[in-house]
């Protein structure tokens, strides 16, 4: 007897899986047992809970672009499906289906955390609940799941968020789009996107909470509660006093005349072609695509231009203790020691350790923390040590006027790079 073809075996496996889901749903939520049906007509398998008027809430495997995911789909036309990874535990899937179905049967909103496509309560779901109670439209909550549909409804694609973005809540306010993030190292961050500017800006949370400025981006989770963050958000854009640049910086600034120190001559040599600056960078290609952007010019940047770029971006990231210096020390800080490194060889662990020692010794009363601005890459062990030392390492791309993060702590400090208008489902 010939062995059945692979697609038949796969279909039989899916059939058994759906039957086990049907049984789990009836056992975990017996009040719905008489409404539960498994439908495998035309091999389009889905588990559904019938509602009134011939409507139903269903659980199925659907294709999103090149991915197949679990989706809980309700009968409301403009609603978004609740998406879950294929390896989601069965009990989570049936509980998600139950949460949506029972809400429709009782004619009430889906209960938290399920309404945010999350299976467990968290700081993010609590914040979403508080914002929703204020009448704010919560767009996305990413804590443990992070699967969202976007694009045209007739052919949606899958957006997987989280990971290096940390957990976050995205919400629409009357005059701004806001992302509240909780980063593993930096803590709370609040970023604002203004559509008229097409750019992100960072809210100074410390100033809004305590009328003081912190030297580094973020507020430790232990220093501010979810309620504190919600209260700040409730004050609105005017109170946040966030700076978002609506005008592009001048990218054609001529090289300044006058004296330059030997240090500047070695770091910002005008004779160095852009290819020499970038020749030995060991970076993730996707990261460069997302953060470095297109190169705007093949002309060698001036030392002043690079200094201004670094100062502008560090300030935008939320480094509140930096200011313009002089020819010998272009950027000054009481809390950070800034090392400028113009070499082709990647940063090694021993070199980061040496620089971190210099930073510690540079402090008057307490050790300073290290910021490295480099024109090369960094080894993985060196990046790991930089994270342990609470240092920030950035690659400067003078041809794109961008700082690119080279370690995890620096990555957390970056502003979001997506356009919120492109991350949702298009209306019918």
């Amino acid at each position: 007897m010939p062995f059945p073809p692979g697609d038949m075996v796969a279909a039989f496996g899916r059939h058994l899986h759906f039957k086990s889901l049907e049984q789990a749903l009836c056992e975990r939520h017996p009040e719905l047992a008489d409404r539960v049906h498994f439908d495998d007509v035309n091999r389009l398998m889905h588990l559904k809970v019938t509602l009134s008027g011939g409507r139903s809430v269903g659980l199925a495997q659907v294709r999103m672009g090149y991915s197949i995911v679990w989706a809980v789909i309700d009968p409301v036309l403009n609603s978004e499906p609740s998406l879950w990874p294929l390896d989601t535990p069965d009990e989570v899937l049936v509980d998600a289906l139950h949460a949506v179905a029972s809400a429709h049967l009782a004619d009430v909103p889906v209960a938290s955390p399920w309404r945010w496509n999350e299976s467990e309560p968290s700081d993010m779901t609590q914040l979403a609940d508080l914002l929703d109670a204020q009448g704010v439209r919560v767009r996305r909550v990413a804590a443990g799941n992070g699967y969202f549909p976007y694009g045209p409804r007739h052919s949606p694609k899958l957006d997987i968020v989280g990971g290096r973005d940390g957990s976050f809540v995205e919400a629409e306010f009357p005059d701004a789009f806001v992302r509240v993030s909780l980063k593993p190292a930096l803590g709370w961050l609040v970023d604002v996107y203004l559509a008229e500017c097409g750019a992100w800006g960072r809210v100074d949370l410390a100033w809004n909470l305590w009328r003081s400025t912190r030297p580094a981006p973020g507020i430790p989770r232990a220093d501010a509660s979810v309620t504190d963050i919600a209260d700040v958000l409730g004050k609105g854009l005017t109170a946040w006093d966030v700076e978002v640049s609506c005008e592009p910086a001048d990218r054609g600034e001529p090289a300044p005349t006058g004296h330059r120190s030997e240090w500047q001559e070695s770091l910002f040599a005008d004779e160095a072609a852009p290819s020499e600056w970038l020749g030995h960078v060991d970076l993730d290609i996707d990261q460069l695509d997302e953060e470095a952007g297109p190169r705007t010019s093949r002309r060698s940047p001036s030392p002043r231009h690079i200094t201004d770029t670094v100062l502008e971006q560090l300030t935008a990231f939320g480094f509140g203790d930096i200011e313009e210096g002089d020819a010998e020390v272009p950027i000054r800080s009481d809390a950070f020691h800034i090392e400028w490194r113009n070499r082709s060889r990647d940063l090694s662990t021993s070199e980061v350790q040496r620089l971190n020692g210099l930073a510690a010794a540079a402090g008057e009363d307490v050790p300073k923390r290290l910021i490295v601005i480099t024109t090369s890459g960094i080894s993985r062990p060196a990046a790991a040590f930089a994270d342990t030392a609470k240092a920030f390492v950035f690659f400067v791309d003078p041809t794109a006027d961008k700082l690119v993060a080279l370690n995890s702590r620096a990555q957390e400090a970056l502003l979001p790079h997506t356009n919120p208008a492109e991350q949702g489902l298009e209306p019918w």
Side-chain angles (χ1 to χ4, degrees):
M1 180 177 179
F3 195 79
D7 58 345
M8 184 179 297
V9 174
F12 182 67
R14 288 197 300 272
H15 180 91
L16 291 179
H17 192 184
F18 271 96
K19 292 298 291 183
S20 68
L21 287 168
E22 179 185 24
Q23 180 179 355
L25 178 58
C26 293
E27 291 177 350
R28 292 176 68 85
H29 306 287
E31 75 278 9
L32 296 181
D34 60 343
R35 296 177 177 270
V36 175
H37 300 280
F38 168 46
D39 192 343
D40 63 349
V41 177
N42 297 324
R43 304 170 77 177
L44 297 176
M45 304 179 195
H46 62 279
L47 184 64
K48 64 182 182 181
V49 178
T50 58
L51 308 175
S52 60
R55 302 176 306 151
S56 63
V57 176
L59 171 67
Q61 289 185 5
V62 300
R63 181 174 293 278
M64 295 279 181
Y66 296 103
S67 302
I68 297 177
V69 299
W70 288 104
V72 177
I73 306 171
D74 69 18
V76 179
L77 179 62
N78 284 322
S79 65
E80 297 186 3
S82 175
L83 304 185
W84 301 84
L86 279 182
D87 60 355
T88 301
D90 287 0
E91 59 270 21
V92 172
L93 293 174
V94 298
D95 287 352
L97 179 59
H98 165 264
V100 177
S102 59
H104 279 281
L105 289 170
D107 195 23
V108 296
V110 178
S112 181
W114 301 104
R115 68 180 307 183
W116 311 122
N117 302 328
E118 293 289 335
S119 61
E120 298 288 342
S122 65
D123 288 335
M124 294 295 102
T125 60
Q126 182 185 350
L127 178 60
D129 292 339
L130 292 174
L131 294 178
D132 182 70
Q134 295 177 12
V136 176
R137 182 191 175 196
V138 177
R139 284 272 300 271
R140 301 199 296 181
V141 177
N145 183 6
Y147 272 45
F148 298 95
Y150 74 99
R153 288 183 180 266
H154 67 274
S155 181
K157 300 176 183 179
L158 176 65
D159 189 16
I160 303 176
V161 300
R164 69 180 186 183
D165 293 323
S167 57
F168 61 81
V169 171
E170 292 181 340
E172 287 185 13
F173 286 75
D175 46 7
F177 183 94
V178 174
R179 173 185 283 193
V180 183
S181 306
L182 190 55
K183 306 285 188 176
L186 299 185
W188 293 106
L189 292 171
V190 177
D191 297 312
V192 177
Y193 182 87
L194 297 182
E196 62 268 27
C197 300
W200 289 88
R202 180 151 290 163
V203 176
D204 188 339
L205 265 180
W207 182 258
N208 279 272
L209 286 169
W210 310 300
R211 286 298 183 261
S212 62
T213 298
R214 294 175 57 88
I219 296 292
R221 180 172 177 266
D223 292 354
S225 68
V226 175
T227 303
D228 292 334
I229 304 300
D231 289 343
V232 169
L233 296 177
K235 297 176 182 177
L237 181 62
T238 304
W240 302 334
D241 193 30
V242 61
E243 294 186 7
V244 177
S245 176
C246 289
E247 295 294 334
D250 181 12
R251 304 310 186 195
E253 178 187 16
T257 59
H259 171 72
R260 290 192 300 169
S261 66
E262 292 182 0
W263 176 85
Q264 284 179 308
E265 291 287 355
S266 64
L267 177 61
F268 299 124
D270 284 338
E271 298 81 9
S275 60
E276 295 175 5
W277 287 78
L278 302 173
H280 293 80
V281 179
D282 181 18
L283 296 176
D284 181 79
I285 296 300
D286 292 336
Q287 184 183 31
L288 280 175
D289 288 342
E290 292 175 359
E291 292 158 15
R295 300 182 184 179
T296 58
S297 172
R298 298 297 299 175
R299 174 182 173 186
S300 293
S302 69
R304 175 61 182 272
H305 177 75
I306 298 176
T307 301
D308 288 347
T309 294
V310 174
L311 180 61
E312 175 187 344
Q313 294 205 20
L314 289 180
T315 302
F317 295 161
F319 289 90
D321 181 48
I322 60 174
E323 60 183 10
E324 186 175 358
D326 52 28
E328 297 297 330
V329 183
I331 300 178
R332 296 186 181 277
S333 170
D334 292 332
F336 291 97
H337 175 72
I338 302 175
E339 280 283 343
W340 303 77
R341 182 182 180 277
N342 182 21
R343 297 181 185 177
S344 60
R345 188 182 71 256
D346 286 353
L347 275 162
S348 65
T349 303
S350 60
E351 188 170 8
V352 176
Q353 290 172 338
R354 180 182 65 82
L355 296 177
N356 192 60
L358 292 176
E364 291 288 343
D365 299 319
V366 295
K368 286 189 176 184
R369 289 166 58 185
L370 176 65
I371 296 177
V372 180
I373 308 298
T374 181
T375 58
S376 73
I378 189 172
S379 70
R380 290 183 183 275
F385 176 81
D387 289 330
T388 302
K390 299 182 179 181
F392 298 85
V393 185
F394 296 99
F395 163 73
V396 59
D397 182 352
T399 64
D401 293 338
K402 290 286 185 180
L403 292 181
V404 178
L406 294 185
N407 68 321
S408 296
R409 186 172 288 266
Q411 179 69 48
E412 291 186 11
L414 299 182
L415 292 167
H417 60 272
T418 56
N419 181 345
E422 301 174 352
Q423 298 307 116
L425 277 176
E426 298 176 0
W428 289 104

